Amino acid sequence: MPVFDYDPPERFVAGALGQPGARAFFLQARAEGRLTTVALEKLQVAALAGRLDELLDEVLRRSGGAAHVPALAPADLTDEDPLDVPLAEDFRVGTMALAWDPETSQVVIEAQEIIDEEDLDAPEPAVLRVRISPGAARAFTQRALRLVSAGRPPCPLCGQPLDAEGHVCVRLNGYRGGEAAS
């Protein structure tokens, strides 16, 4: 099982390529001349960002505010740069896990390769493991949430994403909705 371990990375970000509605989403970790890029779904990026914030808020709550966890992303950790190139996908993410390491006061993020469970000869799945500070985790979350929200605008009736040609709106009983539907 190849493990891409970053403790800590120089950079850990979520990014996307393509036009809204047809974007491909990635996580990237970089350190000491190594670059790991894994593909995942938009919903996985949103879930990771949401769970990271929840984890950090819980650490703060349980410590009574004593933990060195910023409530907001430190400005000096904000990363608006594009994904690093060359963009070569190492694997596609299936499952993810989060943990708080109280000994190092770091967040541990693991993204595991999706595998075909029916293939008995499949190799062990690859894993991207990243250990980052609470401030870096908040910065990651801030960027990831902006990335996810920068997609297609929602339908004013049902909330589903609108394509340029509209979409089949459940609130319009299957008729095409769009700008005129509002």
Side-chain angles (χ1 to χ4, degrees), residues 53 56-57 69-80 133-144 146:
D53 263 348
L56 293 171
D57 291 345
V69 175
L72 300 171
D76 62 323
L77 296 178
T78 299
D79 184 340
E80 298 298 333
S133 71
R138 291 282 193 204
F140 173 90
T141 297
Q142 183 179 38
R143 176 185 171 122
R146 274 194 312 275

Side-chain angles (χ1 to χ4, degrees), residues 19-62:
Q19 295 300 312
R23 293 186 294 171
F25 290 83
F26 301 95
L27 296 179
Q28 255 188 359
R30 178 186 70 210
E32 300 172 353
R34 295 183 306 132
L35 178 65
T36 303
T37 303
V38 297
L40 69 170
E41 299 297 323
K42 177 181 179 178
L43 290 175
Q44 288 175 296
V45 174
L48 177 58
R51 296 289 187 226
L52 264 173
D53 263 348
E54 289 173 9
L55 174 70
L56 293 171
D57 291 345
E58 183 65 14
V59 168
L60 254 180
R61 187 187 69 72
R62 286 189 181 193

